[in-house]
């Protein structure tokens, strides 16, 4: 799958499956709202600063995110492996903010419980029609 194909696929999904590593070395997986922005090798999500995943990423920044579409006959998925930077700076928070976020963050863009997960892609694996393709950034043209 091409870079454009991957970005288009991810952009159509409403949910992402995001994983972190807990303090005991176990993976923890949760559903997230779709990314707010895909820019180069970075994928941006919003979350609560107080969430457990943020403490996981502050201790171990390795992460994985998975997007999928299940049709009547076919299944397609994209897995991204990489690292997370938890962004609490106001410039990044302003960039990702949407008007409806006030429902979750009562103090608006400056709410201390509002932060941004910046996921930097290192490896991509795609699956479609029983075919798996893998690319590590810098070694192939297929990546987000």
């Amino acid at each position: 799958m091409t870079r454009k194909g991957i970005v288009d696929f991810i952009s159509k999904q409403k949910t992402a499956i995001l994983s972190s590593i807990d303090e005991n070395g176990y993976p923890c997986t949760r559903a997230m709202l779709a990314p707010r922005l895909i820019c180069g090798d970075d994928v941006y999500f919003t979350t609560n600063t107080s969430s457990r995943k943020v403490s996981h990423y502050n201790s171990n920044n390795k992460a994985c995110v998975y997007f999928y579409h299940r049709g009547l006959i076919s299944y397609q998925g994209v897995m991204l492996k990489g690292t997370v930077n938890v962004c609490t700076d106001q410039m990044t928070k302003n960039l990702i903010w949407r008007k409806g976020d006030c429902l979750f963050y009562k103090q608006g863009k400056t709410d201390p419980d509002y932060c941004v997960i910046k996921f930097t892609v290192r490896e991509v694996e795609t699956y479609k029609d029983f075919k798996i393709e893998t690319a590590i950034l810098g070694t192939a043209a297929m990546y987000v």
Side-chain angles (χ1 to χ4, degrees), residues 64-93:
C64 181
V65 62
Y66 192 73
F67 302 89
Y68 71 95
H69 175 74
R70 181 176 175 217
L72 292 174
I73 306 170
S74 68
Y75 176 92
Q76 184 175 358
V78 171
M79 178 179 66
L80 309 175
K81 291 182 188 177
T83 56
V84 162
N85 181 27
V86 177
C87 303
T88 56
D89 64 284
Q90 200 58 53
M91 189 171 91
T92 305
K93 290 167 69 169

mmCIF file of all heavy atoms in Angstrom, residues 64-93:
data_model
loop_
_atom_site.group_PDB
_atom_site.id
_atom_site.type_symbol
_atom_site.label_atom_id
_atom_site.label_comp_id
_atom_site.label_asym_id
_atom_site.label_seq_id
_atom_site.Cartn_x
_atom_site.Cartn_y
_atom_site.Cartn_z
ATOM 1 N N CYS A 64 2.018 1.235 19.901
ATOM 2 C CA CYS A 64 1.484 0.653 18.679
ATOM 3 C C CYS A 64 0.063 1.171 18.517
ATOM 4 O O CYS A 64 -0.662 1.328 19.501
ATOM 5 C CB CYS A 64 1.477 -0.868 18.809
ATOM 6 S SG CYS A 64 0.880 -1.736 17.364
ATOM 7 N N VAL A 65 -0.306 1.456 17.261
ATOM 8 C CA VAL A 65 -1.675 1.876 16.985
ATOM 9 C C VAL A 65 -2.169 1.072 15.786
ATOM 10 O O VAL A 65 -1.407 0.794 14.854
ATOM 11 C CB VAL A 65 -1.786 3.405 16.757
ATOM 12 C CG1 VAL A 65 -0.985 3.865 15.575
ATOM 13 C CG2 VAL A 65 -3.229 3.847 16.634
ATOM 14 N N TYR A 66 -3.432 0.648 15.846
ATOM 15 C CA TYR A 66 -4.006 -0.192 14.796
ATOM 16 C C TYR A 66 -5.316 0.407 14.325
ATOM 17 O O TYR A 66 -6.135 0.860 15.126
ATOM 18 C CB TYR A 66 -4.250 -1.609 15.350
ATOM 19 C CG TYR A 66 -4.565 -2.625 14.287
ATOM 20 C CD1 TYR A 66 -3.575 -3.097 13.439
ATOM 21 C CD2 TYR A 66 -5.852 -3.116 14.122
ATOM 22 C CE1 TYR A 66 -3.860 -4.038 12.451
ATOM 23 C CE2 TYR A 66 -6.144 -4.056 13.146
ATOM 24 C CZ TYR A 66 -5.138 -4.508 12.309
ATOM 25 O OH TYR A 66 -5.415 -5.428 11.335
ATOM 26 N N PHE A 67 -5.493 0.407 13.013
ATOM 27 C CA PHE A 67 -6.722 0.866 12.364
ATOM 28 C C PHE A 67 -7.235 -0.290 11.514
ATOM 29 O O PHE A 67 -6.434 -0.995 10.891
ATOM 30 C CB PHE A 67 -6.444 2.059 11.442
ATOM 31 C CG PHE A 67 -5.821 3.223 12.136
ATOM 32 C CD1 PHE A 67 -4.443 3.336 12.238
ATOM 33 C CD2 PHE A 67 -6.611 4.215 12.692
ATOM 34 C CE1 PHE A 67 -3.864 4.414 12.869
ATOM 35 C CE2 PHE A 67 -6.042 5.298 13.327
ATOM 36 C CZ PHE A 67 -4.666 5.398 13.421
ATOM 37 N N TYR A 68 -8.553 -0.469 11.482
ATOM 38 C CA TYR A 68 -9.079 -1.552 10.656
ATOM 39 C C TYR A 68 -10.448 -1.208 10.098
ATOM 40 O O TYR A 68 -11.154 -0.350 10.613
ATOM 41 C CB TYR A 68 -9.156 -2.858 11.438
ATOM 42 C CG TYR A 68 -10.234 -2.872 12.490
ATOM 43 C CD1 TYR A 68 -11.489 -3.406 12.211
ATOM 44 C CD2 TYR A 68 -10.003 -2.363 13.764
ATOM 45 C CE1 TYR A 68 -12.483 -3.418 13.171
ATOM 46 C CE2 TYR A 68 -10.986 -2.369 14.724
ATOM 47 C CZ TYR A 68 -12.223 -2.899 14.420
ATOM 48 O OH TYR A 68 -13.213 -2.904 15.370
ATOM 49 N N HIS A 69 -10.764 -1.911 9.030
ATOM 50 C CA HIS A 69 -12.098 -1.841 8.440
ATOM 51 C C HIS A 69 -12.536 -3.263 8.134
ATOM 52 O O HIS A 69 -11.823 -3.997 7.444
ATOM 53 C CB HIS A 69 -12.119 -1.012 7.162
ATOM 54 C CG HIS A 69 -13.457 -1.043 6.495
ATOM 55 N ND1 HIS A 69 -14.542 -0.344 6.981
ATOM 56 C CD2 HIS A 69 -13.899 -1.721 5.414
ATOM 57 C CE1 HIS A 69 -15.581 -0.583 6.210
ATOM 58 N NE2 HIS A 69 -15.234 -1.418 5.256
ATOM 59 N N ARG A 70 -13.685 -3.633 8.644
ATOM 60 C CA ARG A 70 -14.238 -4.964 8.405
ATOM 61 C C ARG A 70 -15.430 -4.819 7.488
ATOM 62 O O ARG A 70 -16.463 -4.269 7.871
ATOM 63 C CB ARG A 70 -14.649 -5.603 9.721
ATOM 64 C CG ARG A 70 -15.192 -6.976 9.551
ATOM 65 C CD ARG A 70 -15.489 -7.601 10.891
ATOM 66 N NE ARG A 70 -16.129 -8.879 10.667
ATOM 67 C CZ ARG A 70 -17.089 -9.356 11.411
ATOM 68 N NH1 ARG A 70 -17.505 -8.684 12.457
ATOM 69 N NH2 ARG A 70 -17.614 -10.517 11.137
ATOM 70 N N GLY A 71 -15.276 -5.288 6.266
ATOM 71 C CA GLY A 71 -16.377 -5.280 5.317
ATOM 72 C C GLY A 71 -17.163 -6.575 5.403
ATOM 73 O O GLY A 71 -16.907 -7.419 6.267
ATOM 74 N N LEU A 72 -18.114 -6.749 4.525
ATOM 75 C CA LEU A 72 -18.904 -7.980 4.503
ATOM 76 C C LEU A 72 -18.053 -9.183 4.121
ATOM 77 O O LEU A 72 -18.247 -10.288 4.628
ATOM 78 C CB LEU A 72 -20.082 -7.840 3.530
ATOM 79 C CG LEU A 72 -21.154 -6.849 3.949
ATOM 80 C CD1 LEU A 72 -22.191 -6.685 2.846
ATOM 81 C CD2 LEU A 72 -21.820 -7.309 5.239
ATOM 82 N N ILE A 73 -17.119 -8.979 3.211
ATOM 83 C CA ILE A 73 -16.308 -10.085 2.722
ATOM 84 C C ILE A 73 -14.832 -9.908 3.062
ATOM 85 O O ILE A 73 -14.141 -10.864 3.349
ATOM 86 C CB ILE A 73 -16.446 -10.225 1.187
ATOM 87 C CG1 ILE A 73 -17.907 -10.340 0.807
ATOM 88 C CG2 ILE A 73 -15.662 -11.429 0.680
ATOM 89 C CD1 ILE A 73 -18.171 -10.249 -0.671
ATOM 90 N N SER A 74 -14.350 -8.682 3.041
ATOM 91 C CA SER A 74 -12.916 -8.460 3.236
ATOM 92 C C SER A 74 -12.628 -7.708 4.525
ATOM 93 O O SER A 74 -13.508 -7.097 5.129
ATOM 94 C CB SER A 74 -12.339 -7.687 2.046
ATOM 95 O OG SER A 74 -12.858 -6.372 2.029
ATOM 96 N N TYR A 75 -11.376 -7.765 4.912
ATOM 97 C CA TYR A 75 -10.880 -7.124 6.121
ATOM 98 C C TYR A 75 -9.589 -6.418 5.743
ATOM 99 O O TYR A 75 -8.766 -6.967 5.008
ATOM 100 C CB TYR A 75 -10.616 -8.183 7.195
ATOM 101 C CG TYR A 75 -10.020 -7.641 8.461
ATOM 102 C CD1 TYR A 75 -10.832 -7.256 9.512
ATOM 103 C CD2 TYR A 75 -8.649 -7.500 8.602
ATOM 104 C CE1 TYR A 75 -10.297 -6.749 10.676
ATOM 105 C CE2 TYR A 75 -8.106 -6.993 9.769
ATOM 106 C CZ TYR A 75 -8.932 -6.618 10.801
ATOM 107 O OH TYR A 75 -8.403 -6.109 11.950
ATOM 108 N N GLN A 76 -9.413 -5.197 6.235
ATOM 109 C CA GLN A 76 -8.191 -4.452 5.958
ATOM 110 C C GLN A 76 -7.705 -3.818 7.249
ATOM 111 O O GLN A 76 -8.505 -3.312 8.040
ATOM 112 C CB GLN A 76 -8.458 -3.366 4.911
ATOM 113 C CG GLN A 76 -7.235 -2.608 4.493
ATOM 114 C CD GLN A 76 -7.528 -1.631 3.356
ATOM 115 O OE1 GLN A 76 -8.629 -1.548 2.850
ATOM 116 N NE2 GLN A 76 -6.514 -0.895 2.957
ATOM 117 N N GLY A 77 -6.398 -3.850 7.466
ATOM 118 C CA GLY A 77 -5.839 -3.256 8.671
ATOM 119 C C GLY A 77 -4.504 -2.582 8.411
ATOM 120 O O GLY A 77 -3.776 -2.952 7.491
ATOM 121 N N VAL A 78 -4.198 -1.598 9.250
ATOM 122 C CA VAL A 78 -2.910 -0.921 9.219
ATOM 123 C C VAL A 78 -2.408 -0.829 10.653
ATOM 124 O O VAL A 78 -3.105 -0.298 11.526
ATOM 125 C CB VAL A 78 -3.020 0.497 8.608
ATOM 126 C CG1 VAL A 78 -1.717 1.264 8.784
ATOM 127 C CG2 VAL A 78 -3.407 0.431 7.142
ATOM 128 N N MET A 79 -1.213 -1.375 10.893
ATOM 129 C CA MET A 79 -0.584 -1.294 12.202
ATOM 130 C C MET A 79 0.623 -0.372 12.103
ATOM 131 O O MET A 79 1.438 -0.496 11.189
ATOM 132 C CB MET A 79 -0.123 -2.669 12.683
ATOM 133 C CG MET A 79 0.576 -2.606 14.041
ATOM 134 S SD MET A 79 1.114 -4.223 14.652
ATOM 135 C CE MET A 79 2.367 -4.659 13.454
ATOM 136 N N LEU A 80 0.717 0.548 13.045
ATOM 137 C CA LEU A 80 1.853 1.450 13.126
ATOM 138 C C LEU A 80 2.595 1.179 14.424
ATOM 139 O O LEU A 80 1.980 1.121 15.490
ATOM 140 C CB LEU A 80 1.383 2.913 13.115
ATOM 141 C CG LEU A 80 0.415 3.327 12.010
ATOM 142 C CD1 LEU A 80 -0.037 4.760 12.236
ATOM 143 C CD2 LEU A 80 1.054 3.156 10.649
ATOM 144 N N LYS A 81 3.904 1.007 14.356
ATOM 145 C CA LYS A 81 4.741 0.887 15.546
ATOM 146 C C LYS A 81 5.576 2.145 15.633
ATOM 147 O O LYS A 81 6.020 2.677 14.612
ATOM 148 C CB LYS A 81 5.672 -0.318 15.450
ATOM 149 C CG LYS A 81 4.991 -1.650 15.519
ATOM 150 C CD LYS A 81 6.042 -2.747 15.454
ATOM 151 C CE LYS A 81 5.431 -4.111 15.323
ATOM 152 N NZ LYS A 81 6.463 -5.151 15.188
ATOM 153 N N GLY A 82 5.790 2.618 16.855
ATOM 154 C CA GLY A 82 6.595 3.818 16.996
ATOM 155 C C GLY A 82 6.729 4.256 18.432
ATOM 156 O O GLY A 82 6.640 3.452 19.360
ATOM 157 N N THR A 83 6.931 5.563 18.589
ATOM 158 C CA THR A 83 7.124 6.151 19.907
ATOM 159 C C THR A 83 6.134 7.283 20.120
ATOM 160 O O THR A 83 5.631 7.878 19.162
ATOM 161 C CB THR A 83 8.553 6.687 20.072
ATOM 162 O OG1 THR A 83 8.825 7.622 19.033
ATOM 163 C CG2 THR A 83 9.572 5.551 20.035
ATOM 164 N N VAL A 84 5.881 7.581 21.392
ATOM 165 C CA VAL A 84 4.928 8.624 21.762
ATOM 166 C C VAL A 84 5.645 9.724 22.523
ATOM 167 O O VAL A 84 6.481 9.461 23.384
ATOM 168 C CB VAL A 84 3.794 8.032 22.630
ATOM 169 C CG1 VAL A 84 3.049 9.120 23.386
ATOM 170 C CG2 VAL A 84 2.834 7.236 21.773
ATOM 171 N N ASN A 85 5.254 10.937 22.204
ATOM 172 C CA ASN A 85 5.634 12.100 22.985
ATOM 173 C C ASN A 85 4.337 12.713 23.495
ATOM 174 O O ASN A 85 3.448 13.023 22.702
ATOM 175 C CB ASN A 85 6.408 13.095 22.116
ATOM 176 C CG ASN A 85 6.840 14.322 22.883
ATOM 177 O OD1 ASN A 85 7.023 14.293 24.093
ATOM 178 N ND2 ASN A 85 6.982 15.430 22.181
ATOM 179 N N VAL A 86 4.206 12.844 24.813
ATOM 180 C CA VAL A 86 3.022 13.472 25.401
ATOM 181 C C VAL A 86 3.258 14.979 25.387
ATOM 182 O O VAL A 86 4.187 15.475 26.022
ATOM 183 C CB VAL A 86 2.768 12.970 26.838
ATOM 184 C CG1 VAL A 86 1.582 13.695 27.463
ATOM 185 C CG2 VAL A 86 2.545 11.461 26.844
ATOM 186 N N CYS A 87 2.440 15.689 24.632
ATOM 187 C CA CYS A 87 2.610 17.135 24.448
ATOM 188 C C CYS A 87 1.635 17.896 25.337
ATOM 189 O O CYS A 87 0.428 17.724 25.220
ATOM 190 C CB CYS A 87 2.377 17.516 22.990
ATOM 191 S SG CYS A 87 3.437 16.651 21.818
ATOM 192 N N THR A 88 2.183 18.733 26.189
ATOM 193 C CA THR A 88 1.354 19.580 27.045
ATOM 194 C C THR A 88 1.584 21.058 26.743
ATOM 195 O O THR A 88 0.993 21.911 27.398
ATOM 196 C CB THR A 88 1.642 19.297 28.535
ATOM 197 O OG1 THR A 88 3.039 19.485 28.771
ATOM 198 C CG2 THR A 88 1.237 17.878 28.909
ATOM 199 N N ASP A 89 2.424 21.357 25.742
ATOM 200 C CA ASP A 89 2.678 22.750 25.383
ATOM 201 C C ASP A 89 1.444 23.343 24.708
ATOM 202 O O ASP A 89 0.718 22.658 23.992
ATOM 203 C CB ASP A 89 3.901 22.857 24.467
ATOM 204 C CG ASP A 89 3.684 22.152 23.144
ATOM 205 O OD1 ASP A 89 3.746 20.901 23.112
ATOM 206 O OD2 ASP A 89 3.420 22.849 22.144
ATOM 207 N N GLN A 90 1.220 24.606 24.947
ATOM 208 C CA GLN A 90 0.011 25.249 24.464
ATOM 209 C C GLN A 90 -0.055 25.321 22.944
ATOM 210 O O GLN A 90 -1.133 25.217 22.357
ATOM 211 C CB GLN A 90 -0.139 26.652 25.074
ATOM 212 C CG GLN A 90 -1.545 27.183 25.006
ATOM 213 C CD GLN A 90 -2.551 26.261 25.708
ATOM 214 O OE1 GLN A 90 -2.377 25.900 26.872
ATOM 215 N NE2 GLN A 90 -3.603 25.871 25.003
ATOM 216 N N MET A 91 1.078 25.456 22.277
ATOM 217 C CA MET A 91 1.064 25.535 20.811
ATOM 218 C C MET A 91 0.503 24.255 20.193
ATOM 219 O O MET A 91 -0.344 24.305 19.298
ATOM 220 C CB MET A 91 2.479 25.805 20.283
ATOM 221 C CG MET A 91 2.507 26.124 18.806
ATOM 222 S SD MET A 91 4.119 26.681 18.251
ATOM 223 C CE MET A 91 4.827 25.114 17.782
ATOM 224 N N THR A 92 0.948 23.099 20.682
ATOM 225 C CA THR A 92 0.445 21.821 20.155
ATOM 226 C C THR A 92 -1.013 21.619 20.525
ATOM 227 O O THR A 92 -1.817 21.175 19.704
ATOM 228 C CB THR A 92 1.306 20.651 20.666
ATOM 229 O OG1 THR A 92 2.674 20.895 20.337
ATOM 230 C CG2 THR A 92 0.867 19.332 20.058
ATOM 231 N N LYS A 93 -1.370 21.957 21.757
ATOM 232 C CA LYS A 93 -2.760 21.826 22.188
ATOM 233 C C LYS A 93 -3.682 22.695 21.334
ATOM 234 O O LYS A 93 -4.758 22.261 20.929
ATOM 235 C CB LYS A 93 -2.885 22.181 23.676
ATOM 236 C CG LYS A 93 -2.236 21.144 24.587
ATOM 237 C CD LYS A 93 -2.074 21.623 26.015
ATOM 238 C CE LYS A 93 -3.354 21.775 26.754
ATOM 239 N NZ LYS A 93 -3.183 21.986 28.213
#
